[in-house]
Amino acid sequence: MALINKIREKSGWAVGAIAIGLGVFVVGGDLLGPNSRLLGNDATTVGEIAGEEIDYQEFDAVLQQAKADYESRTGRAANEGELAMLREQAWNQLIFKIALQKEYDRLGITVTDEELADMVQGNNIHPAVKQAFTNPQTGEFDRNQIVQYLQNLDQMGPNARPMWVSFEQSILNDRLQSKYMNLFTKTVYITAAEAKDYYQAQNSTAGMKVLYVPYVSVSDSAVQVTDAQLQDYYDRNKELYKVEEGRSIEFVTVPVTASPEDSSFLSQEISTLAQQFATASNDSAFVNTNSDAPFNGAYRNPGELPQQLASQLPLEEGKVYGPYTENGVLSLFKVSDVKEGSPAVKASHILIRPESDTPEAKAAARAKAQDVLTQIQKGADFAQMAAQYGTDGTASTGGDLGWFAEGRMVPEFDKAVFAASGPGLLPNLVETEYGYHIVKITAPKTTQTYQIAAVQRPIEASEGTRDAAYAVADELAGTSGSADEFRENAAKNPSLVKEEAIAIGKNNIVVNNLNNARELVRWAYAEDTEIGDVSPVFEIENQFVVATLTGKREKGYAAVGDIRDELTAAVRNEVKGQQIIEKLKGQKGSLDEMAANYGADAVVRTADNVTFASATIPGIGVEPVAVGKAFGMKPGARTAPFEGQGGVLVVELTQLNPAPEISDLSNVKEQMRTARSSQVENNVFEAVKEKADIKDNRVRFF
């Protein structure tokens, strides 16, 4: 049975490779929901790939196989997010099955029976077969095991042969894909000149001074942008604005949160439980009956206790502590048992790190730590000194390390702390690999461990509170016949906050901060939903949501009106750039003098060891044009002012350090070949998808 499960696991091998090749896009939603089109109006077509319609039943068969394989591997049912991933995997699998198969057929690419047999039990075993039939004792592939498996296939139950056929098909598809991709990737060739250029771009460095005037230094209000300028910029940069299909909505949420009355009712119930808990003879049974979390009988040292209990040590056996409220949960804790365990202690420290590993740096750190220790010994507050001098994350909490068991810290620290006779400041510094520690024991060492029984109840809204929240959302949906009415009605209720979501993809599962919002997305994409329509009430993760459709965007090039803000910002920066350049033109002297003449908005940055490949100038950001200009000059040369990514720059090259000479470029060539081959594969996948003219209508069903 274990081997059959391994075959099931490996049958997804090629599917996984395909999914990686195409990229993983997350979708989701219920198989059947209030907007489902499965019943009526004969809309059973999930989509179209390369001219072939994909019927719902065909898609569902692939999905159910992927779901069964996944749940067999994980040993549990797929959750909603995982189902979304599996739907995308099934869709990609169909793309490969149809679109790529047409390519295989056109080119005459096949896998013969002899080749398949060779992959299974011949001289060129497929990697998935090797993984499935590896001897667990030796870690080696066992050819005899697969022969025996195939001979006994019909005696392994009714599912064994179909699973094997599916497994064989997966490795056959993978081989077809490999042959097809090899037609492209084997054409990748890296010349010596390319490799040399790449090596030099990675390893040559430049030193430079840069005068930088950011675009934000010019007020937006000082630049007026016309429609003609927007259109001109759009025409010059149209390829930057390719978009997928999208929908835009405005929506409000009505949270379903516990009211003061709900909290009061639960508090009264917990108080009653506390009295019963104190007299209960079987704590584990009481917890399992009355708590949302099952009984955990583990013994905990003080460092593993809930904070509310750790602050009250030592705890009394049989006593009930609480109730406590934390993160929306009411808790009661009862000490069921106390016994001896590993020592634990509570301490604080101040760590002084050396600036380097040199003897001089260590001596300086030790002297500084000793000075801080002396100040504390004379009465300085430990927590304040930790905040002032500490060099690790505990500085913000006064150096507090909390409770920890023996053996948790590095040996030198552990030994010093657990050797202490009692609470108080240790008289000497503790040196570890991290530096010098000033240590204070803040609670006595203890060997007691506690078995804690916990009754925990979430503070949840009652049905009455839920109904009231729904009524607010339902009234908004029912009284709003248009987007304008939706906005007006939402504005009348000060508790409602309107949000906007732009260009939601048809397969999205998340809308802004709304998770599992699939039904909302499906409504926005429904054929009968028009701009201005108001949605019914959706319940999404303990809140009610009402939305209005404000825009539809088709696949292709974005309309100027849809990206007006983005275009305006780009055009505005162009205009600002020209204004800044005009102001800088004709200025003489050093860059520092030019910056002083320009004004406070101009800064000069010095950058060393800038590489051509990184295209980044420290202190300024990604500026590929600036870096390219620098590497094209001789030391001492300076550019004229020019527009960059974030502002106007003037670059002065101070030093150019060529890459060290290299005689063997073979490793560089292989690195480039691997990267370029991967890019070629991705490009091929995208080209096949584009050629297939895919029409994705899954939003109708999921």
Side-chain angles (χ1 to χ4, degrees):
M1 182 61 68
L3 191 55
I4 292 176
N5 286 335
K6 290 184 73 175
I7 292 297
R8 182 192 295 275
E9 292 176 14
K10 303 308 173 188
S11 67
W13 194 92
V15 174
I18 289 169
I20 292 173
L22 283 173
V24 177
F25 301 91
V26 178
V27 297
D30 295 327
L31 286 173
L32 293 172
N35 293 329
S36 175
R37 303 293 184 86
L38 287 178
L39 302 176
N41 72 27
D42 69 6
T44 61
T45 301
V46 174
E48 184 177 307
I49 300 171
E52 294 188 18
E53 288 191 351
I54 308 301
D55 185 80
Y56 174 82
Q57 290 184 345
E58 179 182 3
F59 177 79
D60 189 56
V62 179
L63 172 61
Q64 293 306 319
Q65 180 62 54
K67 181 171 177 284
D69 290 344
Y70 181 83
E71 293 180 347
S72 175
R73 292 196 303 272
T74 61
R76 59 174 176 78
N79 61 36
E80 190 56 43
E82 291 162 341
L83 280 173
M85 178 186 68
L86 292 172
R87 293 187 191 105
E88 190 64 25
Q89 178 179 307
W91 182 247
N92 288 338
Q93 188 174 345
L94 285 169
I95 291 174
F96 270 76
K97 176 184 175 182
I98 297 171
L100 278 181
Q101 188 60 52
K102 290 181 180 293
E103 290 293 293
Y104 303 155
D105 294 342
R106 183 173 66 85
L107 297 169
I109 299 174
T110 60
V111 173
T112 65
D113 292 343
E114 293 77 12
E115 190 175 358
L116 181 59
D118 187 47
M119 287 192 289
V120 173
Q121 53 183 316
N123 296 321
N124 298 286
I125 304 297
H126 191 278
V129 178
K130 285 186 177 181
Q131 291 180 32
F133 292 93
T134 293
N135 188 311
Q137 281 74 40
T138 64
E140 300 292 332
F141 169 67
D142 190 341
R143 194 184 308 273
N144 294 327
Q145 191 180 21
I146 188 172
V147 172
Q148 183 180 5
Y149 176 85
L150 293 174
Q151 289 174 344
N152 298 324
L153 195 60
D154 291 329
Q155 284 75 49
M156 294 182 184
N159 294 327
R161 184 167 290 280
M163 278 197 301
W164 175 256
V165 170
S166 175
F167 177 65
E168 272 194 338
Q169 187 62 44
S170 71
I171 63 175
L172 184 148
N173 289 338
D174 181 64
R175 178 59 61 88
L176 283 170
Q177 178 189 332
S178 296
K179 288 183 175 184
Y180 179 68
M181 285 301 168
N182 283 342
L183 295 175
F184 300 93
T185 59
K186 295 302 182 183
T187 65
V188 173
Y189 178 74
I190 310 299
T191 67
E194 287 179 299
K196 185 176 181 180
D197 286 344
Y198 179 83
Y199 171 77
Q200 290 177 342
Q202 296 287 335
N203 295 280
S204 298
T205 61
M208 63 187 74
K209 288 187 70 174
V210 182
L211 169 63
Y212 178 63
V213 183
Y215 296 131
V216 294
S217 64
V218 179
S219 172
D220 287 352
S221 60
V223 178
Q224 300 300 317
V225 177
T226 67
D227 289 344
Q229 287 174 306
L230 294 179
Q231 188 64 51
D232 174 66
Y233 185 89
Y234 177 82
D235 292 340
R236 287 186 282 118
N237 300 277
K238 192 172 182 178
E239 291 303 312
L240 297 177
Y241 299 105
K242 282 186 175 181
V243 294
E244 296 296 323
E245 189 176 5
R247 297 290 185 268
S248 296
I249 64 171
E250 293 177 10
F251 66 94
V252 298
T253 58
V254 183
V256 182
T257 56
S259 67
E261 292 78 13
D262 298 332
S263 299
S264 176
F265 178 81
L266 181 58
S267 295
Q268 293 175 13
E269 185 178 359
I270 287 289
S271 295
T272 302
L273 284 175
Q275 298 173 13
Q276 298 171 352
F277 201 10
T279 59
S281 59
N282 188 326
D283 292 341
S284 63
F286 189 90
V287 168
N288 290 334
T289 301
N290 295 286
S291 177
D292 280 18
F295 176 77
N296 182 342
Y299 284 81
R300 311 180 195 180
N301 65 44
E304 298 167 331
L305 292 173
Q307 182 59 40
Q308 300 96 329
L309 297 184
S311 63
Q312 301 186 57
L313 292 171
L315 305 178
E316 298 178 28
E317 183 176 349
K319 182 176 179 179
V320 174
Y321 295 83
Y324 304 107
T325 302
E326 185 177 18
N327 298 325
V329 176
L330 270 174
S331 301
L332 291 171
F333 300 110
K334 183 179 180 181
V335 182
S336 295
D337 192 22
V338 181
K339 73 176 184 179
E340 296 294 307
S342 300
V345 72
K346 186 179 182 184
S348 297
H349 82 144
I350 303 171
L351 172 63
I352 307 297
R353 299 179 190 269
E355 293 184 357
S356 68
D357 290 332
T358 64
E360 294 80 8
K362 291 182 178 180
R366 182 181 182 86
K368 182 178 179 180
Q370 185 61 55
D371 178 62
V372 174
L373 175 59
T374 301
Q375 292 183 57
I376 295 172
Q377 289 170 334
K378 290 181 178 180
D381 184 77
F382 189 98
Q384 290 180 1
M385 299 298 279
Q388 183 175 354
Y389 294 106
T391 57
D392 70 346
T394 66
S396 61
T397 58
D400 184 28
L401 293 166
W403 284 91
F404 52 90
E406 190 171 16
R408 285 277 304 278
M409 301 298 183
V410 291
E412 301 89 348
F413 191 94
D414 210 56
K415 181 178 179 181
V417 169
F418 283 94
S421 58
L425 184 69
L426 297 191
N428 300 311
L429 299 175
V430 178
E431 182 181 359
T432 71
E433 61 188 279
Y434 299 105
Y436 298 93
H437 305 256
I438 302 149
V439 183
K440 181 181 180 180
I441 310 299
T442 54
K445 180 173 56 179
T446 179
T447 57
Q448 287 189 322
T449 60
Y450 303 90
Q451 185 184 58
I452 304 297
V455 173
Q456 297 181 307
R457 293 280 188 86
I459 303 173
E460 296 179 329
S462 64
E463 284 302 314
T465 300
R466 178 175 293 275
D467 290 344
Y470 178 82
V472 173
D474 188 50
E475 181 180 7
L476 176 62
T479 58
S480 303
S482 66
D484 288 339
E485 290 182 359
F486 172 85
R487 298 183 185 107
E488 291 173 4
N489 292 332
K492 294 175 184 177
N493 189 334
S495 67
L496 299 179
V497 178
K498 184 169 63 67
E499 297 183 52
E500 186 176 18
I502 304 296
I504 305 166
K506 65 163 58 177
N507 292 322
N508 280 20
I509 191 173
V510 175
V511 175
N512 287 13
N513 61 342
L514 299 177
N515 297 314
N516 297 322
R518 192 67 194 141
E519 286 303 313
L520 176 60
V521 175
R522 292 181 60 204
W523 169 81
Y525 275 89
E527 290 183 358
D528 56 353
T529 301
E530 300 295 338
I531 293 176
D533 286 356
V534 177
S535 75
V537 179
F538 296 104
E539 184 173 2
I540 302 174
E541 292 194 326
N542 214 31
Q543 55 193 333
F544 296 110
V545 180
V546 182
T548 181
L549 187 67
T550 57
K552 291 185 177 183
R553 186 182 72 184
E554 302 306 320
K555 182 177 179 179
Y557 293 97
V560 171
D562 292 341
I563 53 173
R564 173 173 289 275
D565 291 344
E566 185 178 350
L567 290 174
T568 299
V571 173
R572 190 184 286 130
N573 282 347
E574 278 194 345
V575 176
K576 289 180 180 181
Q578 292 302 314
Q579 292 178 358
I580 295 170
I581 289 173
E582 286 299 319
K583 190 173 179 180
L584 286 171
K585 275 184 179 179
Q587 291 194 22
K588 305 295 183 182
S590 67
L591 293 184
D592 292 307
E593 291 171 334
M594 290 176 63
N597 291 333
Y598 184 90
D601 296 319
V603 296
V604 176
R605 296 278 186 260
T606 299
D608 298 319
N609 299 317
V610 176
T611 64
F612 185 82
S614 72
T616 299
I617 301 175
I620 295 178
V622 178
E623 291 288 352
V625 174
V627 173
K629 286 178 178 289
F631 276 88
M633 298 189 297
K634 294 181 180 180
R638 178 194 297 177
T639 69
F642 62 92
E643 295 177 36
Q645 298 285 98
V648 171
L649 304 95
V650 179
V651 177
E652 182 176 280
L653 184 67
T654 58
Q655 189 176 11
L656 190 61
N657 307 306
E661 290 295 328
I662 182 173
S663 58
D664 185 5
L665 292 167
S666 56
N667 288 338
V668 178
K669 286 185 176 182
E670 181 57 25
Q671 181 183 355
M672 293 181 67
R673 190 200 66 77
T674 301
R676 195 170 293 179
S677 294
S678 177
Q679 183 179 9
V680 165
E681 287 193 20
N682 291 334
N683 291 342
V684 169
F685 284 133
E686 292 303 318
V688 169
K689 287 176 66 176
E690 185 174 354
K691 181 181 178 183
D693 190 22
I694 297 168
K695 296 179 175 61
D696 184 356
N697 297 324
R698 285 176 291 161
V699 70
R700 293 179 176 177
F701 305 90
F702 308 103

